[in-house]
Amino acid sequence: MLFILALFAWCSFHAGFVSAQTVPGGKKISPVLFGLFFEDINYAADGGLYAELVQNRSFEYNPTERKEWHPFAYWEYISPGYSYGRISVETKEPLHPNNPHYIVLDVEFVGHYEQYKGETGVGFKNSGFDGIVVREGEKYNFSLFARQLSDVPVQLWISLQNPKGEVLSENSISTSSTDWVKYATTLTAKACCDTASLVVMARNEGKLALDMISLFPEKTFKNRTNGLRADLAQMLADLQPKFIRFPGGCLVHGDGLGNMYRWKNTIGPVEQRKGQRNIWGYHQTAGLGFFEYFQFCEDIGAKPLPVLPAAVSCQNSGGTWRIGGTGQQTLPMGEMPDYIQEVLDLIEWANGPVTSEWGAKRAAAGHSEPFMLEYIGIGNEDKITPEFEERFTMIYNAVKKEHPEITVVGTVGPFHSGPDFEKGWELANELKIPVVDEHYYTDPNWFITNQYRYDRYDRNASKVYLGEYASWGNKLRNAIAEAAYLTSLERNGDVVLMASYAPLLAKKGFTQWRTDLIFYDNVNIVPTPNYHVQKMFMNNQGDFYFENIIEYNKSDSTLAASCVADSKTGDVILKMVNASNENKNFVIDLSSFGITEGEAEMTLLNGDAEAENTFFDSETLVPEKVVFDVDEKFVYPAFAMSLTVIRMKTTQ
Ligand code: AHR
């Protein structure tokens, strides 16, 4: 091998590479090519990225979400020390109409017996999403809303306990009002536990209403309140995505009209947000709502790409995918003016001045500056029916008229071809939609053999956002097939504006999609080889593409390569993919960059085609970074089943 296997700081080249701004001979490509698609599927938000540790904190779980669920699901009634009382679920005078259910705790008797050792009282316990993870010395922010219903204040004992009932942290709160009031305290864990429970227990006789019982680690990503799980969010930040599409996926258009994602329900104080059934069969609290999505984008330097429904529901509503996806429901025309206004209001909320109605709401949430929204998606792989077309066109025209500065992303169905794809493209051509969202999940071989798909696209038609794609699987051979395809997206970066792998997150035990980018449980995170491929591309994006720098046997579809330059840094980046089972050569000629010799940073991912990362060994496949000596012209022998990225500085 040509490279020096050592991890030294990498040096710049003996290069005559002209100013980074000019990049001679290169084709301008999308500067925002690789980003993320986030959807609350596989417990990605609640129980995942959203750092709330209490499950069903607002007592809104119900049987429409899962047959066995009810408002007290995931709560356990407790009455230690021969105490007794009653609990009931109530809806009269709730904390907020969007959050209608709460619990009334009526404590009739608290036992105080010499024979009984330990805390006594009446209350309940929550074990979070399969256990609450606490770390020794770390702080946890507890809060609840209470309304005192008895004459006397109620003393509440709040504790974190391990499965043996040993107290890991405790504190208390006393009610002081017969109105709904938020009470908060901090719990500092004196020991680690991966399966702790939160106990809220009244220690004296009395009656009170309780809602929004919440526990967050103090350390969230960037220490945001109502924030994100720090390790998972960091994993996403490490990718350095150029954009994030949210909140879905099928979650956007929903299971019937009543289940469409309405962004206004997801902003403002969390206790006033409207949770709802998640199309993926659980509950979405909306705690991770539009404010948090936009904030996260800003925190990691990614452009926000919110997607709103095109006023139609998912064609598979009610499970009609079983009989051919005929379940698309459409918003009545009479409701369209209000719905269109809802779309326009999002733009004002994101970008409008604080003096505007919706800009003021953003400012009230703590963000006076605009969020710099540039893109908005309308629709998600909808069935392209006349009803869809009519509604999409109305929304599209309104956005175009009121906000010509916003780029609308349309949709062309769920597959890489077929009737919806064709009809979607016809509509795109007719309306001149700036960008359309293509989706395809297919086998790795398809990605290998379709590497020239976008080379054939009309350069004057709509640009493509490849919003969802994955080869079925998380083995190295899947990741390498995707890598080959990603080089073709770079080559066609004048047509393909953006691309995002899907789905992003999957919780162990709650995985609903066969292939995902990152797996995790409450403690561990397993990045797939597909994640590493994404990271190698996202960390090494360029905005100019160069032909003829890397030569290889083009009739061999297992080989792929690309060369891009980043005009901001002046770096030249080579990517070489060998998806075969034997080592193969690439011939590189850097003379057009004026590069003669020097050290480059090389990142290499390779291994057994069938290898994958698991919870037992999350590092079976990890890219290796080394310093690599390059010459003006050299042969690079790429390992079987490998992706190599070579990055060269051209400025001092
Ligand atoms: O990514 C999972 C699902 O795949 C998305 O929700 C949907 O858009 C697609 O069918």
Side-chain angles (χ1 to χ4, degrees):
M1 296 300 294
L2 289 169
F3 53 85
I4 303 163
L5 288 167
L7 240 175
F8 299 121
W10 53 295
C11 310
S12 45
F13 276 81
H14 300 238
F17 191 56
V18 194
S19 149
Q21 304 309 320
T22 56
V23 197
K27 172 173 76 172
K28 185 92 190 81
I29 58 168
S30 169
V32 291
L33 188 53
F34 298 123
L36 299 181
F37 161 54
F38 179 89
E39 176 171 29
D40 189 3
I41 180 174
N42 309 314
Y43 276 67
D46 295 296
L49 186 61
Y50 184 48
E52 173 63 78
L53 294 167
V54 173
Q55 181 159 202
N56 191 15
R57 67 181 175 192
S58 56
F59 305 101
E60 298 299 335
Y61 277 26
N62 67 72
T64 68
E65 296 167 336
R66 219 167 269 180
K67 279 197 192 94
E68 65 279 16
W69 281 7
H70 49 81
F72 206 62
Y74 296 94
W75 291 95
E76 183 190 333
Y77 173 73
I78 53 170
S79 55
Y82 308 98
S83 312
Y84 45 89
R86 281 178 292 276
I87 48 167
S88 55
V89 178
E90 308 283 344
T91 53
K92 203 175 151 206
E93 295 175 50
L95 181 52
H96 192 273
N98 282 345
N99 183 4
H101 298 92
Y102 60 88
I103 291 290
V104 168
L105 182 62
D106 187 355
V107 186
E108 205 176 327
F109 177 75
V110 173
H112 294 291
Y113 302 102
E114 259 183 37
Q115 300 92 319
Y116 185 84
K117 306 282 173 240
E119 297 295 334
T120 61
V122 176
F124 31 75
K125 181 168 149 178
N126 187 291
S127 304
F129 296 87
D130 282 350
I132 293 174
V133 176
V134 295
R135 291 289 167 257
E136 186 180 344
E138 302 221 335
K139 292 191 167 64
Y140 297 85
N141 295 327
F142 172 86
S143 63
L144 56 71
F145 280 81
R147 182 154 59 90
Q148 188 185 304
L149 301 173
S150 52
D151 294 338
V152 291
V154 180
Q155 311 288 331
L156 288 173
W157 180 64
I158 317 298
S159 66
L160 286 167
Q161 301 185 7
N162 69 16
K164 289 185 193 155
E166 291 161 350
V167 174
L168 304 171
S169 184
E170 60 186 317
N171 225 319
S172 40
I173 279 169
S174 180
T175 58
S176 57
S177 174
T178 52
D179 291 327
W180 283 110
V181 168
K182 183 174 183 175
Y183 301 87
T185 188
T186 303
L187 298 166
T188 306
K190 62 183 182 204
C192 293
C193 181
D194 291 347
T195 49
S197 299
L198 172 74
V199 170
V200 177
M201 195 167 75
R203 276 168 144 171
N204 63 300
E205 287 85 13
K207 191 173 175 182
L208 80 170
L210 292 162
D211 205 353
M212 288 300 287
I213 302 179
S214 167
L215 184 76
F216 271 84
E218 187 184 57
K219 279 191 195 156
T220 56
F221 185 67
K222 303 246 180 221
N223 296 323
R224 298 273 175 214
T225 47
N226 193 44
L228 306 182
R229 186 175 142 179
D231 55 352
L232 262 184
Q234 189 58 51
M235 199 91 188
L236 304 183
D238 289 346
L239 288 161
Q240 299 174 5
K242 297 286 189 197
F243 66 87
I244 306 180
R245 168 182 167 220
F246 55 85
C250 290
L251 185 105
V252 168
H253 52 189
D255 193 18
L257 287 178
N259 193 239
M260 286 194 320
Y261 195 93
R262 311 301 287 258
W263 73 271
K264 289 184 181 176
N265 290 336
T266 76
I267 59 163
V270 281
E271 66 277 9
Q272 297 179 13
R273 297 185 190 177
K274 200 171 185 172
Q276 69 166 345
R277 177 168 61 94
N278 184 319
I279 193 170
W280 295 106
Y282 54 106
H283 181 84
Q284 42 178 332
T285 61
L288 172 51
F290 262 36
F291 183 84
E292 291 72 25
Y293 285 122
F294 274 82
Q295 182 68 76
F296 183 51
C297 289
E298 185 175 271
D299 281 344
I300 66 170
K303 291 180 191 291
L305 171 46
V307 182
L308 300 183
V312 301
S313 73
C314 180
Q315 55 269 30
N316 299 319
S317 292
T320 57
W321 54 269
R322 295 184 184 89
I323 54 166
T326 53
Q328 184 183 77
Q329 307 293 320
T330 57
L331 213 60
M333 273 297 153
E335 292 180 33
M336 282 306 289
D338 283 352
Y339 186 71
I340 289 169
Q341 191 55 49
E342 186 175 319
V343 176
L344 299 175
D345 288 344
L346 174 64
I347 300 168
E348 182 176 290
W349 177 83
N351 290 353
V354 297
T355 47
S356 63
E357 183 190 350
W358 287 94
K361 292 187 200 292
R362 181 194 69 239
H367 203 284
S368 314
E369 293 304 312
F371 273 123
M372 313 302 282
L373 177 68
E374 291 175 43
Y375 305 97
I376 192 167
I378 303 295
N380 172 67
E381 58 174 48
D382 299 287
K383 194 173 174 72
I384 313 293
T385 57
E387 293 78 12
F388 163 86
E389 292 193 0
E390 191 179 11
R391 283 156 185 79
F392 177 90
T393 305
M394 289 168 80
I395 300 167
Y396 172 68
N397 286 339
V399 174
K400 209 169 98 172
K401 179 162 172 262
E402 300 296 327
H403 291 282
E405 75 285 5
I406 296 291
T407 301
V408 173
V409 180
T411 182
V412 293
F415 307 112
H416 53 63
S417 51
D420 291 317
F421 181 81
E422 279 158 28
K423 283 192 224 155
W425 266 104
E426 272 166 32
L427 184 68
N429 291 333
E430 188 188 313
L431 296 180
K432 300 199 180 336
I433 303 170
V435 188
V436 295
D437 183 5
E438 295 190 354
H439 293 180
Y440 36 87
Y441 299 89
T442 182
D443 67 281
N445 206 36
W446 186 94
F447 286 93
I448 302 263
T449 52
N450 281 277
Q451 282 182 49
Y452 292 93
R453 175 184 175 94
Y454 294 113
D455 296 76
R456 295 186 284 268
Y457 268 47
D458 180 353
R459 268 43 202 169
N460 298 313
S462 309
K463 302 268 179 254
V464 174
Y465 166 37
L466 176 49
E468 293 182 29
Y469 68 91
S471 77
W472 286 121
N474 291 119
K475 295 180 187 299
L476 183 64
R477 67 186 170 87
N478 298 93
I480 296 298
E482 288 156 11
Y485 202 69
L486 295 188
T487 64
S488 83
L489 301 187
E490 289 190 321
R491 183 172 66 249
N492 289 288
D494 53 334
V495 165
V496 182
L497 180 75
M498 299 188 249
S500 48
Y501 182 99
L504 183 61
L505 297 177
K507 190 165 192 177
K508 188 178 173 187
F510 300 92
T511 298
Q512 297 158 309
W513 202 257
R514 195 161 110 202
T515 171
D516 302 280
L517 202 64
I518 301 169
F519 291 83
Y520 57 93
D521 58 22
N522 288 341
V523 179
N524 309 290
I525 303 183
V526 181
T528 58
N530 317 62
Y531 171 90
H532 292 302
V533 163
Q534 291 292 325
K535 190 172 173 196
M536 287 165 75
F537 276 81
M538 282 190 219
N539 287 187
N540 292 291
Q541 304 201 44
D543 49 357
F544 284 85
Y545 183 83
F546 294 85
E547 294 286 355
N548 305 325
I549 304 296
I550 309 173
E551 289 304 329
Y552 57 98
N553 179 4
K554 301 260 171 32
S555 61
D556 180 348
S557 64
T558 64
L559 296 179
S562 66
C563 172
V564 297
D566 174 20
S567 66
K568 282 208 187 79
T569 58
D571 294 358
V572 172
I573 303 150
L574 312 175
K575 301 189 182 85
M576 285 151 295
V577 181
N578 179 359
S580 77
N581 292 322
E582 52 187 316
N583 297 356
K584 288 185 182 169
N585 288 346
F586 291 87
V587 179
I588 291 138
D589 181 350
L590 299 172
S591 56
S592 59
F593 297 119
I595 292 172
T596 51
E597 60 175 2
E599 289 180 343
E601 178 195 67
M602 187 177 95
T603 314
L604 171 68
L605 177 69
N606 81 306
D608 188 284
E610 299 306 310
E612 56 190 336
N613 291 337
T614 64
F615 280 90
F616 295 110
D617 184 359
S618 60
E619 298 192 343
T620 303
L621 294 159
V622 178
E624 184 184 8
K625 258 191 189 171
V626 297
V627 172
F628 177 78
D629 276 344
V630 300
D631 292 322
E632 187 177 35
K633 294 181 185 169
F634 62 99
V635 175
Y636 178 73
F639 285 131
M641 221 30 85
S642 68
L643 163 64
T644 308
V645 177
I646 296 178
R647 184 170 186 131
M648 296 158 276
K649 283 205 179 301
T650 58
T651 52
Q652 297 296 331

Short mmCIF file of all heavy atoms in Angstrom, two decimals, residues 397-438:
data_model
loop_
_atom_site.label_atom_id
_atom_site.label_comp_id
_atom_site.label_asym_id
_atom_site.label_seq_id
_atom_site.Cartn_x
_atom_site.Cartn_y
_atom_site.Cartn_z
N ASN A 397 -48.86 27.61 -5.37
CA ASN A 397 -49.03 28.95 -5.95
C ASN A 397 -49.05 30.02 -4.86
O ASN A 397 -48.50 31.11 -5.05
CB ASN A 397 -50.33 29.02 -6.77
CG ASN A 397 -50.16 28.28 -8.10
OD1 ASN A 397 -49.03 28.07 -8.56
ND2 ASN A 397 -51.26 27.88 -8.71
N ALA A 398 -49.68 29.70 -3.75
CA ALA A 398 -49.75 30.70 -2.66
C ALA A 398 -48.36 30.99 -2.09
O ALA A 398 -47.99 32.15 -1.87
CB ALA A 398 -50.67 30.19 -1.56
N VAL A 399 -47.57 29.95 -1.89
CA VAL A 399 -46.21 30.16 -1.34
C VAL A 399 -45.38 30.94 -2.34
O VAL A 399 -44.66 31.89 -1.99
CB VAL A 399 -45.53 28.82 -0.98
CG1 VAL A 399 -44.08 29.03 -0.56
CG2 VAL A 399 -46.31 28.10 0.12
N LYS A 400 -45.50 30.55 -3.61
CA LYS A 400 -44.72 31.22 -4.66
C LYS A 400 -45.06 32.72 -4.71
O LYS A 400 -44.19 33.57 -4.83
CB LYS A 400 -45.04 30.56 -6.01
CG LYS A 400 -43.91 30.62 -7.00
CD LYS A 400 -44.19 29.73 -8.18
CE LYS A 400 -44.74 30.57 -9.30
NZ LYS A 400 -44.90 29.92 -10.55
N LYS A 401 -46.35 33.00 -4.57
CA LYS A 401 -46.79 34.40 -4.66
C LYS A 401 -46.36 35.19 -3.43
O LYS A 401 -45.79 36.28 -3.53
CB LYS A 401 -48.32 34.40 -4.79
CG LYS A 401 -48.92 35.77 -4.86
CD LYS A 401 -50.36 35.70 -5.41
CE LYS A 401 -51.03 37.04 -5.31
NZ LYS A 401 -51.89 37.19 -4.15
N GLU A 402 -46.62 34.64 -2.26
CA GLU A 402 -46.36 35.40 -1.03
C GLU A 402 -44.89 35.35 -0.62
O GLU A 402 -44.41 36.25 0.06
CB GLU A 402 -47.21 34.84 0.14
CG GLU A 402 -48.71 34.90 -0.09
CD GLU A 402 -49.23 36.33 -0.21
OE1 GLU A 402 -48.69 37.23 0.45
OE2 GLU A 402 -50.18 36.53 -1.00
N HIS A 403 -44.23 34.27 -0.97
CA HIS A 403 -42.83 34.11 -0.52
C HIS A 403 -41.96 33.57 -1.66
O HIS A 403 -41.47 32.44 -1.59
CB HIS A 403 -42.76 33.16 0.69
CG HIS A 403 -43.36 33.75 1.90
ND1 HIS A 403 -42.70 34.69 2.67
CD2 HIS A 403 -44.57 33.56 2.48
CE1 HIS A 403 -43.48 35.05 3.67
NE2 HIS A 403 -44.62 34.40 3.58
N PRO A 404 -41.72 34.40 -2.66
CA PRO A 404 -40.90 33.92 -3.78
C PRO A 404 -39.48 33.55 -3.35
O PRO A 404 -38.77 32.84 -4.05
CB PRO A 404 -40.88 35.12 -4.75
CG PRO A 404 -41.36 36.29 -3.97
CD PRO A 404 -42.20 35.78 -2.85
N GLU A 405 -39.08 34.00 -2.16
CA GLU A 405 -37.73 33.69 -1.68
C GLU A 405 -37.62 32.26 -1.15
O GLU A 405 -36.52 31.76 -0.92
CB GLU A 405 -37.33 34.70 -0.57
CG GLU A 405 -37.97 34.50 0.82
CD GLU A 405 -39.45 34.93 0.94
OE1 GLU A 405 -40.05 35.30 -0.08
OE2 GLU A 405 -39.99 34.85 2.06
N ILE A 406 -38.75 31.59 -0.97
CA ILE A 406 -38.74 30.23 -0.42
C ILE A 406 -38.75 29.21 -1.56
O ILE A 406 -39.54 29.32 -2.51
CB ILE A 406 -39.97 30.00 0.50
CG1 ILE A 406 -39.91 30.93 1.73
CG2 ILE A 406 -40.10 28.53 0.94
CD1 ILE A 406 -38.82 30.64 2.74
N THR A 407 -37.91 28.21 -1.46
CA THR A 407 -37.87 27.14 -2.46
C THR A 407 -38.81 26.01 -2.03
O THR A 407 -38.63 25.44 -0.94
CB THR A 407 -36.43 26.58 -2.58
OG1 THR A 407 -35.57 27.64 -2.95
CG2 THR A 407 -36.35 25.47 -3.61
N VAL A 408 -39.80 25.74 -2.86
CA VAL A 408 -40.75 24.67 -2.53
C VAL A 408 -40.23 23.34 -3.06
O VAL A 408 -39.75 23.25 -4.19
CB VAL A 408 -42.15 24.97 -3.12
CG1 VAL A 408 -43.09 23.79 -2.92
CG2 VAL A 408 -42.73 26.22 -2.49
N VAL A 409 -40.33 22.33 -2.22
CA VAL A 409 -39.95 20.98 -2.61
C VAL A 409 -41.24 20.16 -2.77
O VAL A 409 -42.00 20.01 -1.81
CB VAL A 409 -39.03 20.33 -1.55
CG1 VAL A 409 -38.62 18.92 -1.97
CG2 VAL A 409 -37.81 21.20 -1.28
N GLY A 410 -41.47 19.68 -3.98
CA GLY A 410 -42.66 18.87 -4.24
C GLY A 410 -42.38 17.39 -4.01
O GLY A 410 -41.34 17.03 -3.43
N THR A 411 -43.28 16.52 -4.44
CA THR A 411 -43.14 15.10 -4.13
C THR A 411 -43.55 14.26 -5.34
O THR A 411 -44.47 14.65 -6.08
CB THR A 411 -43.96 14.75 -2.87
OG1 THR A 411 -43.79 13.39 -2.54
CG2 THR A 411 -45.44 15.05 -3.04
N VAL A 412 -42.86 13.16 -5.56
CA VAL A 412 -43.14 12.34 -6.75
C VAL A 412 -43.35 10.86 -6.40
O VAL A 412 -42.88 9.97 -7.09
CB VAL A 412 -42.04 12.50 -7.84
CG1 VAL A 412 -42.05 13.91 -8.41
CG2 VAL A 412 -40.66 12.17 -7.30
N GLY A 413 -44.07 10.65 -5.31
CA GLY A 413 -44.45 9.28 -4.97
C GLY A 413 -43.39 8.49 -4.23
O GLY A 413 -42.28 8.97 -4.00
N PRO A 414 -43.75 7.26 -3.84
CA PRO A 414 -42.89 6.47 -2.96
C PRO A 414 -41.84 5.60 -3.64
O PRO A 414 -41.09 4.93 -2.95
CB PRO A 414 -43.88 5.58 -2.21
CG PRO A 414 -45.15 5.60 -2.98
CD PRO A 414 -45.08 6.67 -4.01
N PHE A 415 -41.80 5.60 -4.96
CA PHE A 415 -40.88 4.67 -5.64
C PHE A 415 -40.03 5.40 -6.67
O PHE A 415 -40.34 6.52 -7.07
CB PHE A 415 -41.67 3.55 -6.31
CG PHE A 415 -42.61 2.83 -5.37
CD1 PHE A 415 -43.98 2.94 -5.53
CD2 PHE A 415 -42.11 2.09 -4.31
CE1 PHE A 415 -44.85 2.30 -4.65
CE2 PHE A 415 -42.97 1.45 -3.42
CZ PHE A 415 -44.34 1.56 -3.59
N HIS A 416 -38.99 4.71 -7.14
CA HIS A 416 -38.10 5.33 -8.11
C HIS A 416 -38.67 5.37 -9.52
O HIS A 416 -38.08 5.90 -10.45
CB HIS A 416 -36.73 4.65 -8.12
CG HIS A 416 -36.80 3.16 -8.30
ND1 HIS A 416 -37.30 2.56 -9.42
CD2 HIS A 416 -36.42 2.16 -7.46
CE1 HIS A 416 -37.23 1.25 -9.27
NE2 HIS A 416 -36.71 0.98 -8.09
N SER A 417 -39.82 4.77 -9.70
CA SER A 417 -40.47 4.73 -11.01
C SER A 417 -41.94 4.39 -10.77
O SER A 417 -42.33 4.23 -9.61
CB SER A 417 -39.81 3.68 -11.90
OG SER A 417 -39.74 2.45 -11.19
N GLY A 418 -42.70 4.28 -11.84
CA GLY A 418 -44.10 3.90 -11.67
C GLY A 418 -45.03 5.09 -11.83
O GLY A 418 -44.59 6.21 -12.05
N PRO A 419 -46.34 4.82 -11.72
CA PRO A 419 -47.34 5.84 -12.06
C PRO A 419 -47.23 7.12 -11.22
O PRO A 419 -47.30 8.22 -11.77
CB PRO A 419 -48.68 5.14 -11.77
CG PRO A 419 -48.37 3.69 -11.63
CD PRO A 419 -46.93 3.52 -11.39
N ASP A 420 -47.03 7.00 -9.90
CA ASP A 420 -46.97 8.22 -9.08
C ASP A 420 -45.71 9.02 -9.41
O ASP A 420 -45.74 10.26 -9.43
CB ASP A 420 -47.02 7.89 -7.59
CG ASP A 420 -48.38 7.36 -7.18
OD1 ASP A 420 -49.38 7.94 -7.64
OD2 ASP A 420 -48.44 6.35 -6.46
N PHE A 421 -44.63 8.29 -9.64
CA PHE A 421 -43.37 8.95 -10.01
C PHE A 421 -43.57 9.74 -11.30
O PHE A 421 -43.22 10.92 -11.40
CB PHE A 421 -42.30 7.88 -10.17
CG PHE A 421 -40.95 8.42 -10.52
CD1 PHE A 421 -40.11 8.93 -9.54
CD2 PHE A 421 -40.51 8.43 -11.84
CE1 PHE A 421 -38.86 9.44 -9.86
CE2 PHE A 421 -39.26 8.93 -12.16
CZ PHE A 421 -38.44 9.45 -11.17
N GLU A 422 -44.19 9.09 -12.26
CA GLU A 422 -44.37 9.77 -13.56
C GLU A 422 -45.33 10.95 -13.47
O GLU A 422 -45.07 12.03 -13.95
CB GLU A 422 -44.87 8.76 -14.60
CG GLU A 422 -43.71 7.94 -15.14
CD GLU A 422 -44.15 6.61 -15.74
OE1 GLU A 422 -45.30 6.54 -16.21
OE2 GLU A 422 -43.34 5.67 -15.73
N LYS A 423 -46.46 10.71 -12.76
CA LYS A 423 -47.44 11.81 -12.64
C LYS A 423 -46.86 12.95 -11.82
O LYS A 423 -47.13 14.12 -12.09
CB LYS A 423 -48.72 11.29 -11.99
CG LYS A 423 -49.59 10.49 -12.92
CD LYS A 423 -50.95 10.29 -12.28
CE LYS A 423 -51.41 8.86 -12.44
NZ LYS A 423 -52.36 8.41 -11.45
N GLY A 424 -46.10 12.60 -10.82
CA GLY A 424 -45.47 13.63 -9.98
C GLY A 424 -44.52 14.49 -10.79
O GLY A 424 -44.51 15.73 -10.67
N TRP A 425 -43.73 13.84 -11.65
CA TRP A 425 -42.81 14.59 -12.50
C TRP A 425 -43.54 15.44 -13.54
O TRP A 425 -43.13 16.55 -13.85
CB TRP A 425 -41.79 13.65 -13.16
CG TRP A 425 -40.54 13.55 -12.34
CD1 TRP A 425 -40.17 12.52 -11.53
CD2 TRP A 425 -39.51 14.55 -12.25
NE1 TRP A 425 -38.96 12.81 -10.93
CE2 TRP A 425 -38.53 14.05 -11.35
CE3 TRP A 425 -39.31 15.80 -12.81
CZ2 TRP A 425 -37.37 14.76 -11.03
CZ3 TRP A 425 -38.16 16.52 -12.49
CH2 TRP A 425 -37.21 16.00 -11.60
N GLU A 426 -44.66 14.88 -14.05
CA GLU A 426 -45.45 15.69 -15.01
C GLU A 426 -45.93 16.97 -14.35
O GLU A 426 -45.84 18.06 -14.92
CB GLU A 426 -46.68 14.89 -15.48
CG GLU A 426 -46.40 14.01 -16.68
CD GLU A 426 -47.52 12.99 -16.90
OE1 GLU A 426 -48.69 13.29 -16.59
OE2 GLU A 426 -47.20 11.87 -17.35
N LEU A 427 -46.41 16.83 -13.11
CA LEU A 427 -46.89 18.01 -12.38
C LEU A 427 -45.73 18.98 -12.12
O LEU A 427 -45.88 20.20 -12.25
CB LEU A 427 -47.54 17.58 -11.06
CG LEU A 427 -48.17 18.70 -10.24
CD1 LEU A 427 -49.41 19.27 -10.96
CD2 LEU A 427 -48.59 18.21 -8.84
N ALA A 428 -44.60 18.41 -11.77
CA ALA A 428 -43.42 19.24 -11.50
C ALA A 428 -43.04 20.05 -12.74
O ALA A 428 -42.75 21.25 -12.66
CB ALA A 428 -42.25 18.37 -11.05
N ASN A 429 -43.08 19.38 -13.89
CA ASN A 429 -42.72 20.08 -15.13
C ASN A 429 -43.75 21.16 -15.47
O ASN A 429 -43.40 22.25 -15.90
CB ASN A 429 -42.60 19.09 -16.29
CG ASN A 429 -41.37 18.19 -16.11
OD1 ASN A 429 -40.40 18.59 -15.48
ND2 ASN A 429 -41.44 16.98 -16.63
N GLU A 430 -45.01 20.79 -15.24
CA GLU A 430 -46.08 21.74 -15.57
C GLU A 430 -46.00 22.99 -14.67
O GLU A 430 -46.09 24.11 -15.15
CB GLU A 430 -47.40 21.00 -15.35
CG GLU A 430 -48.63 21.70 -15.80
CD GLU A 430 -49.86 20.90 -15.33
OE1 GLU A 430 -49.88 19.65 -15.50
OE2 GLU A 430 -50.77 21.53 -14.75
N LEU A 431 -45.80 22.77 -13.38
CA LEU A 431 -45.80 23.90 -12.44
C LEU A 431 -44.41 24.53 -12.30
O LEU A 431 -44.26 25.53 -11.64
CB LEU A 431 -46.27 23.44 -11.05
CG LEU A 431 -47.70 22.94 -10.91
CD1 LEU A 431 -47.97 22.54 -9.46
CD2 LEU A 431 -48.69 24.01 -11.33
N LYS A 432 -43.43 23.87 -12.88
CA LYS A 432 -42.03 24.30 -12.70
C LYS A 432 -41.67 24.36 -11.22
O LYS A 432 -41.15 25.36 -10.71
CB LYS A 432 -41.77 25.65 -13.38
CG LYS A 432 -42.03 25.62 -14.88
CD LYS A 432 -41.35 26.77 -15.58
CE LYS A 432 -41.56 26.82 -17.07
NZ LYS A 432 -41.89 25.58 -17.78
N ILE A 433 -41.97 23.28 -10.55
CA ILE A 433 -41.62 23.18 -9.12
C ILE A 433 -40.09 23.15 -9.04
O ILE A 433 -39.46 22.38 -9.76
CB ILE A 433 -42.22 21.90 -8.51
CG1 ILE A 433 -43.73 21.86 -8.70
CG2 ILE A 433 -41.87 21.79 -7.02
CD1 ILE A 433 -44.38 20.54 -8.34
N PRO A 434 -39.49 23.99 -8.20
CA PRO A 434 -38.02 24.05 -8.22
C PRO A 434 -37.33 22.73 -7.87
O PRO A 434 -36.32 22.40 -8.47
CB PRO A 434 -37.68 25.11 -7.17
CG PRO A 434 -38.96 25.76 -6.80
CD PRO A 434 -40.10 24.95 -7.29
N VAL A 435 -37.91 21.99 -6.92
CA VAL A 435 -37.26 20.75 -6.47
C VAL A 435 -38.34 19.71 -6.20
O VAL A 435 -39.40 20.05 -5.67
CB VAL A 435 -36.49 20.97 -5.13
CG1 VAL A 435 -35.66 19.75 -4.77
CG2 VAL A 435 -35.60 22.21 -5.19
N VAL A 436 -38.06 18.45 -6.55
CA VAL A 436 -39.00 17.39 -6.16
C VAL A 436 -38.28 16.31 -5.36
O VAL A 436 -37.10 16.05 -5.55
CB VAL A 436 -39.73 16.73 -7.36
CG1 VAL A 436 -40.63 17.74 -8.05
CG2 VAL A 436 -38.74 16.13 -8.34
N ASP A 437 -39.07 15.70 -4.48
CA ASP A 437 -38.56 14.74 -3.50
C ASP A 437 -38.78 13.31 -4.01
O ASP A 437 -39.92 12.87 -4.14
CB ASP A 437 -39.32 15.00 -2.20
CG ASP A 437 -38.87 14.13 -1.05
OD1 ASP A 437 -37.89 13.39 -1.21
OD2 ASP A 437 -39.51 14.21 0.02
N GLU A 438 -37.69 12.62 -4.33
CA GLU A 438 -37.79 11.22 -4.76
C GLU A 438 -37.48 10.31 -3.58
O GLU A 438 -36.61 10.64 -2.75
CB GLU A 438 -36.77 10.93 -5.88
CG GLU A 438 -37.04 11.69 -7.16
CD GLU A 438 -36.16 11.20 -8.32
OE1 GLU A 438 -35.26 10.36 -8.12
OE2 GLU A 438 -36.38 11.69 -9.44
#
